[in-house]
Amino acid sequence: MVMKNYPPQFKADAVALYRSRPEATIRQVAADLGINPETLRNWVRAAGASRPRGRRAEALAEPPTLLEAENAELRKKVRELEEEREILRKAAKYFAGGDALVNRFQFVADHQRRYGVKRLCTILGLSRSSFYYWRRTTSARAARQTADAQLAARIRAVHRASEGTYGVPRITAELRENGEVVNHKRIARVMKTIGLAGLRLRRRHRTTVPGPAAAKVPDLIGRDFTADQANTRYVGDITYLPLAGGKFRYLATVIDLASRRLAGWAVADHMRADLVIDALHAAERTRGSLTGAVFHSDHGAQYCSRAFADACRKAGVTQSMGAIGSSADNALAESFNATCKRVHRYNSVRRHSRLGHRSPIAYERALLTTSTTLAAAA
C-alpha cells in the first residue's frame, strides 16, 4: 500500500474545514476531501483541534468505537450499582423495626420522585401493583387504625373493670351488651396488639385431703354440671387465698349449677369442717331453703366428716361425691377456684360462657322471667 504525502497547507485546510462544520462527521468531511477518515482523524488529533459542541453536533457526531461503547456501558453499570447501594442504605432506616411489607411500601412512596417506582420496587423485591394498591387504600387504612385505637381504649376499660381477668370472649360479650357491633376476632387482634390477655391459671395449692374413713356417698352428678332450675343442684370445694408474707386464707364455696351463682361461701384461716358447714349455712340463708337440693363435692376430709353430713341432713340436702382422686368429677368447682378470687364481684358482674356470657344473677333473673311467663300462659 502506497502512503500518500499531503502538503502542510492541505492538512491545515482539512482540519479547518472539520472545525467549521460541527454538524458533519469525520467520515463525511474526509469523503468530501477524498481522503481516508483515519488520516483526517490523525491530523485533527495532531492539531489538537476542537469544535463547538451542542445537541445537534452530538447527535450527528461519529459513532463511538467498540471500546468506547464498552467503557460507557461499564460506567453506566457502576453508576447503577452505586445508586442501588445508596437506596438500600436509606431503606435500612425504614426497616429498623422489622422488614415489614408496609415499611417497604412507605419507603417507595417517600422516594419515588427521585428514583422511580419501577426501580425501587425491583430493588426491594416488591410488586408494583401491590404498591399501587397500598397507596390507593391509604385513607381507608388510616380510618381503620383510628377505629382500632378507639376500640383499644374501650377494651382497656373493660379489662381494667374486670381486674385483669377477662379475655376475648368475655370482653366481646361486654362490648356487645353495651351496643357495640364487633367481631371476636377483631377483639383478639387488638388485644394482642396492645398486649392484653385474660387471667392465666396458676398451679393450685393443695386443699383436698381425702377422709381416711369416709362413709360411702354416691355420685349423683356424673360430671353433668347443669340444672334446669336454680336451687336444685350445687357443687362446692375449698380453695386458698394467698396473702402477703406467704400466709393463706381458705375459701369454701357453694355454687348453683343452673346459674353458676355463688350462693354461699365462707372464709377462714383453717380448713376444718366448720369452714364448709359455714358455707352451706350461707347458701341456706341466700336461698331461704335448700330442701331437696343435691350438693356435690370431692372426698376431702371436711366433706366426709360426720359434722358436715349432719348439717346437710338438717338442711334437707342430699350429698354427692365423685371418684377419689378425680378432679374432673368436680370440674366446675375446680374451675371457679382457678379463675375467681374476687368473691365480691363474681355473682353480679363476672360473665360465664355457659350462661351466654351473662353474670349468674342476670341469668337467674332471666330464668325467673321465663318461668313467670310460662306460668301466666298456662
Side-chain angles (χ1 to χ4, degrees), residues 207-251:
T207 54
T208 300
V209 180
K216 294 289 184 179
V217 175
D219 184 352
L220 303 178
I221 298 297
R223 300 188 183 181
D224 177 15
F225 302 107
T226 62
D228 295 331
Q229 296 295 326
N231 197 26
T232 58
R233 284 151 60 96
Y234 292 90
V235 296
D237 198 7
I238 300 175
T239 189
Y240 73 101
L241 303 173
L243 302 178
K247 297 182 179 180
F248 296 94
R249 290 294 182 270
Y250 298 95
L251 169 69

Side-chain angles (χ1 to χ4, degrees), residues 51-331:
R51 59 183 182 178
R53 293 183 176 273
R55 292 184 178 179
R56 185 179 178 190
E58 291 176 359
L60 298 174
E62 179 182 10
T65 64
L66 179 59
L67 182 59
E68 291 172 339
E70 290 178 350
N71 288 337
E73 184 66 24
L74 288 174
R75 286 193 295 271
K76 179 182 178 182
K77 288 185 179 297
V78 169
R79 287 195 302 270
E80 289 177 350
L81 289 174
E82 290 176 347
E83 185 178 69
E84 182 174 333
R85 184 176 63 180
E86 180 185 12
I87 290 172
L88 292 174
R89 179 177 56 79
K90 291 180 178 179
K93 298 179 181 179
Y94 282 68
F95 303 154
D99 188 4
L101 187 62
V102 65
N103 291 341
R104 286 185 280 171
F105 285 150
Q106 189 62 57
F107 179 81
V108 174
D110 293 345
H111 296 82
Q112 58 181 328
R113 288 188 176 180
R114 178 171 181 179
Y115 301 108
V117 172
K118 181 178 180 181
R119 178 151 176 74
L120 289 172
C121 286
T122 299
I123 293 174
L124 298 180
L126 296 174
S127 165
R128 277 185 289 168
S129 60
S130 298
F131 167 73
Y132 289 128
Y133 173 80
W134 176 84
R135 193 171 62 180
R136 285 197 310 271
T137 57
T138 298
S139 58
R141 189 166 53 255
R144 185 167 60 251
Q145 290 173 349
T146 300
D148 281 352
Q150 295 171 348
L151 176 61
R154 295 191 291 274
I155 289 174
R156 285 192 178 96
V158 174
H159 191 264
R160 186 166 52 251
S162 74
E163 300 181 8
T165 62
Y166 278 10
V168 172
R170 290 184 173 88
I171 289 181
T172 302
E174 184 79 19
L175 292 177
R176 286 177 177 173
E177 189 171 289
N178 292 333
E180 186 109 17
V181 180
V182 64
N183 185 282
H184 72 280
K185 293 182 179 179
R186 186 181 175 202
I187 296 290
R189 175 176 56 80
V190 174
M191 287 185 67
K192 183 177 181 181
T193 301
I194 61 179
L196 289 185
L199 178 68
R200 296 183 178 181
L201 305 184
R202 296 180 179 180
R203 184 176 180 180
R204 289 191 69 224
H205 178 73
R206 188 184 181 199
T207 54
T208 300
V209 180
K216 294 289 184 179
V217 175
D219 184 352
L220 303 178
I221 298 297
R223 300 188 183 181
D224 177 15
F225 302 107
T226 62
D228 295 331
Q229 296 295 326
N231 197 26
T232 58
R233 284 151 60 96
Y234 292 90
V235 296
D237 198 7
I238 300 175
T239 189
Y240 73 101
L241 303 173
L243 302 178
K247 297 182 179 180
F248 296 94
R249 290 294 182 270
Y250 298 95
L251 169 69
T253 57
V254 179
I255 304 171
D256 193 308
L257 288 181
S259 64
R260 272 36 177 189
R261 181 176 181 177
L262 183 62
W265 56 275
V267 176
D269 59 357
H270 62 80
M271 291 195 298
R272 297 190 294 271
D274 292 345
L275 177 63
V276 295
I277 293 173
D278 289 344
L280 185 69
H281 288 164
E284 194 173 16
R285 289 192 297 270
T286 298
R287 294 304 193 189
S289 173
L290 296 178
T291 302
V294 172
F295 178 80
H296 184 81
S297 68
D298 57 26
H299 281 264
Q302 302 86 351
Y303 294 111
C304 293
S305 67
R306 184 185 299 275
F308 184 72
D310 290 342
C312 287
R313 185 168 53 255
K314 291 178 182 178
V317 172
T318 301
Q319 278 189 272
S320 169
M321 292 185 184
I324 295 177
S326 175
S327 60
D329 286 351
N330 201 23

